[in-house]
Amino acid sequence: MPHRDVNQIVRTYRAFIPLITAILAFAVTARSLQAQTPATPRAKPAPTKKLAIEPPKTASARPKLVVLLVVDQMRADYVDKFLPQWTGGLRRLVDEGAWFRDAAYSYAATETCAGHATISTGALPASHAMVANAWWDRETQKMVTCTADPNAKNSGYAGVSAKGGDSAWRMEIPSFAEELKFQSNGPTRVVTFSLKARAAITMAGHKADAVTWADAGGWVTSSVYGAMPFVEQYAKARPIKEDYGKTWTRSLPDGSYWYDEKATGAVPPDGWNLTFPHPLRGKAAANEPDAAFYEQWASSPFADTYLTRFAETAVDSLGLGQGGGTDFLGVSYSSVDYVGHEFGPRSWEIQDVLVRLDKDLADLFAHLGKKVGRGKYLVALSADHGVAPIVEDMQKTGADVGILRLAELQDRIEKALEPFNFPKPAIARINGSDLYFAPGVYDKLRHDDKAMRTAIDAAQAQPGVAEIFRADQLQNRPATQSPTRTALADSYFPGRSGDLFIVPKPYWLMDRNPPGTNRSYGAGHGMPYNYDQHVPILFMGFGIRHGEYFDAVTPADIAPTLASLCGITLATRDGHILSESLSK
């Protein structure tokens, strides 16, 4: 860089001094003038536009009455087959409601108690623990029913003598009806009816206002629920025995029935023949009702009509659906199940009892429309299980079907285990598909691969057996590619379910009777096959969008859907909300 002379630099800075002085003087003058000038007032800001705040919306409307209808043993294909012959309530459910055509239970224990508990809670047997109608109690070494309660006492209406005690204390989670009553801010009444205790009780749950079922020729309840005056009055005014002497005749004209007049393999109640008409006069056709009469009555459409009138009386007496809250009415129609067991699904009797039920439901819906108001009540209808064809009827097709003799299977396993020195008998009980070993035997088998394999091989050698599963293969509902194993796992509850599980071949009927003895029933259910699992699901009324829906669903979806429309939360659930059918 070239060297600059210092004197030159000094001369340059001195030349800029006058200019800097002038700039500073101007700045001071300007500041002084600003201080002397009055401040210009600021413009007021434009007023802020206030947003309109809507008042909080009131809670969305709820149905005034929830009506849960369960038709015991109603196969889904009954709707497809017989719909053209229906003109009443069943037809109205299809024409006005939401029809789920691919509804099926996911589990194996397709029985009444398990099905009703699943519909009621929105959970599977692996969650609600009602794994069967009855099971082997390992502690007492006795069979117990799903509703047996040692701390409850049953009582009869209108002088009926009741035995034992029943409640929902074995059901591990609350029902929808319980949650509705507990979570609602208005008064909620819970009322259920059925011919079967296990149906009426599981629909209601652990607490309810009126839970009523048939027994000993009359009507019964439990100390857990208490007695209702209107039930007493109705039972006195309209005793079941009033139907003595009536006759069940055909409802449809000639040529309208699908199948043979005499159902192959049918086992009708005592006092009835294989063909119509079916008189309600008991076994001896005496002048007074006997035990056979009450069996005939339960297997006739007169029992369904009685339950319908009972439900209508409850609506009138308690003002159901007419108060400040949402009430619950549950009715389980049992007669279809009794008729199905006796005459099978391919019978004139099944076709006819459904025609009669269609008329009864028309009456019920008309009554609800008058008392509660059209569009103010919500109906859900389903079934607890389906049913297989009668074996002897199915054999006409040439299919490989027969009777799986459980007594023979038990003998095979006992003999096979003799060399291993297990206690005798090694098997405590076989109940349906569940095999219970004597205390300590299963634990020993688990640690003795050879003995376990021997027992399973012996069971699989019995004609009619398809597969055998062990309890430890089902615990905690493992992920599996086997639909059968999944179905069994969904039914499994530790401590109540068996040690081994017997899966028969399709259409084979399990029977405990010794060979050569007559069965007391025609058709059966309780298996992990579609004919036992496939059931209808229909909704109608408040909040429901009409239509046919073909997604795969399960009856465990019913309670969550009802809960969503009532604004309540279930304790736990395996099902989901059927949102596609909701109009809101």
Side-chain angles (χ1 to χ4, degrees):
M1 183 175 181
H3 177 69
R4 287 191 177 184
D5 181 76
V6 174
N7 293 328
Q8 184 180 356
I9 295 172
V10 171
R11 287 194 296 270
T12 302
Y13 279 120
R14 284 178 178 174
F16 277 100
I17 289 175
L19 177 62
I20 294 171
T21 302
I23 293 172
L24 290 173
F26 177 80
V28 170
T29 302
R31 192 176 187 88
S32 175
L33 289 172
Q34 183 180 14
Q36 298 173 20
T37 304
T40 303
R42 289 185 179 179
K44 293 183 179 180
T48 303
K49 185 178 181 180
K50 294 183 179 181
L51 297 176
I53 301 176
E54 296 182 4
K57 294 182 179 179
T58 57
S60 59
R62 304 282 187 258
K64 299 298 293 181
L65 177 65
V66 174
V67 182
L68 177 60
L69 304 175
V70 181
V71 184
D72 202 320
Q73 202 191 105
M74 185 175 183
R75 287 169 54 123
D77 58 3
Y78 290 163
V79 184
D80 297 285
K81 293 174 181 176
F82 306 137
L83 180 61
Q85 298 173 338
W86 298 341
T87 60
L90 290 172
R91 181 78 194 209
R92 183 175 166 186
L93 284 165
V94 173
D95 288 347
E96 299 181 14
W99 178 15
F100 288 88
R101 304 191 62 167
D102 190 18
Y105 288 96
S106 65
Y107 56 79
T110 44
E111 298 185 15
T112 296
C113 193
H116 281 78
T118 295
I119 293 171
S120 174
T121 63
L124 302 178
S127 299
H128 62 59
M130 304 298 256
V131 297
N133 291 341
W135 54 81
W136 183 253
D137 185 76
R138 290 178 171 88
E139 182 177 349
T140 62
Q141 291 291 291
K142 294 179 180 179
M143 289 293 295
V144 295
T145 66
C146 64
T147 58
D149 183 350
N151 297 314
K153 182 176 177 57
N154 293 341
S155 60
Y157 288 104
V160 169
S161 178
K163 298 179 181 179
D166 291 275
S167 78
W169 80 291
R170 298 179 190 271
M171 195 162 76
E172 292 290 315
I173 56 180
S175 68
F176 159 78
E178 286 180 85
E179 296 286 13
L180 178 67
K181 191 176 184 69
F182 179 71
Q183 296 181 33
S184 297
N185 63 355
T188 293
R189 280 77 56 84
V190 174
V191 179
T192 63
F193 299 99
S194 181
L195 300 189
K196 300 179 181 181
R198 56 185 175 269
I201 288 171
T202 50
M203 284 194 301
H206 300 81
K207 293 291 182 181
D209 296 277
V211 180
T212 311
W213 63 92
D215 193 17
W219 298 99
V220 172
T221 188
S222 164
S223 58
V224 171
Y225 307 107
M228 265 286 180
F230 84 88
V231 179
E232 176 75 16
Q233 294 165 8
Y234 191 81
K236 285 182 177 179
R238 180 71 171 82
I240 294 173
K241 65 182 180 181
E242 279 193 354
D243 285 337
Y244 182 82
K246 292 184 177 181
T247 300
W248 178 14
T249 58
R250 292 183 303 166
S251 303
L252 300 173
D254 293 341
S256 300
Y257 292 90
W258 277 51
Y259 308 111
D260 293 337
E261 183 179 8
K262 291 184 178 181
T264 303
V267 182
D270 287 341
W272 281 8
N273 296 319
L274 290 172
T275 60
F276 282 109
H278 298 306
L280 274 64
R281 295 181 178 85
K283 185 175 182 179
N287 294 324
E288 289 292 331
D290 57 8
F293 158 73
Y294 291 107
E295 182 183 0
Q296 294 166 355
W297 180 82
S299 301
S300 78
F302 299 112
D304 285 344
T305 301
Y306 195 109
L307 286 172
T308 302
R309 301 294 173 263
F310 230 153
E312 293 170 356
T313 301
V315 171
D316 295 344
S317 299
L318 301 180
L320 297 182
Q322 301 160 62
T326 299
D327 294 320
F328 177 88
L329 173 63
V331 184
S332 177
Y333 291 99
S334 310
S335 296
V336 173
D337 180 71
Y338 294 135
V339 173
H341 278 299
E342 292 155 356
F343 293 95
R346 288 166 33 91
S347 65
W348 287 21
E349 284 76 9
I350 274 291
Q351 193 171 346
D352 200 273
V353 75
L354 288 169
V355 169
R356 301 290 193 100
L357 179 60
D358 174 60
K359 295 177 181 177
D360 286 332
L361 292 183
D363 293 341
L364 177 61
F365 297 157
H367 194 81
L368 294 176
K370 181 179 179 181
K371 297 292 185 174
V372 181
R374 189 180 180 93
K376 294 183 179 181
Y377 63 90
L378 168 62
V379 178
L381 181 144
S382 190
D384 51 355
H385 54 76
V387 68
I390 294 177
V391 167
E392 290 80 3
D393 192 25
M394 193 68 188
Q395 285 173 337
K396 295 189 299 185
T397 68
D400 175 26
V401 293
I403 307 297
L404 201 169
R405 307 286 182 184
L406 293 177
E408 291 181 357
L409 183 145
Q410 183 168 343
D411 288 342
R412 283 177 181 269
I413 297 175
E414 293 283 2
K415 290 178 181 179
L417 290 178
E418 285 180 355
F420 296 92
N421 298 317
F422 285 109
K424 294 183 180 180
I427 297 172
R429 180 81 177 194
I430 299 179
N431 180 56
S433 294
D434 292 34
L435 186 151
Y436 299 83
F437 284 108
V441 172
Y442 185 64
D443 287 337
K444 293 179 180 179
L445 286 170
R446 290 179 59 196
H447 295 89
D448 189 333
D449 291 341
K450 184 177 180 180
M452 178 70 83
R453 186 70 261 166
T454 298
I456 292 175
D457 287 345
Q460 289 182 322
Q462 178 67 25
V465 172
E467 295 180 272
I468 302 291
F469 288 88
R470 306 187 312 272
D472 48 291
Q473 292 177 300
L474 308 178
Q475 293 175 351
N476 301 317
R477 295 160 76 173
T480 173
Q481 295 298 312
S482 167
T484 303
R485 185 179 174 189
T486 297
L488 289 168
D490 284 347
S491 298
Y492 180 83
F493 194 85
R496 294 187 182 179
S497 298
D499 299 314
L500 293 184
F501 299 86
I502 307 152
V503 181
K505 294 178 181 179
Y507 295 109
W508 280 69
L509 177 67
M510 287 183 164
D511 187 51
R512 289 193 57 83
N513 293 324
T517 58
N518 295 325
R519 296 198 311 274
S520 59
Y521 57 95
H525 53 81
M527 298 299 111
Y529 295 117
N530 198 48
Y531 48 76
D532 283 348
Q533 296 172 321
H534 191 202
V535 296
I537 291 181
L538 293 149
F539 292 93
M540 183 185 75
F542 178 91
I544 298 300
R545 178 187 292 118
H546 169 61
E548 294 184 20
Y549 303 92
F550 293 87
D551 290 341
V553 300
T554 167
D557 299 329
I558 294 173
T561 303
L562 298 178
S564 72
L565 289 169
C566 295
I568 66 169
T569 301
L570 299 179
T572 185
R573 72 184 201 197
D574 293 309
H576 70 283
I577 298 170
L578 298 175
S579 57
E580 60 270 39
S581 66
L582 305 185
S583 62
K584 51 185 295 188

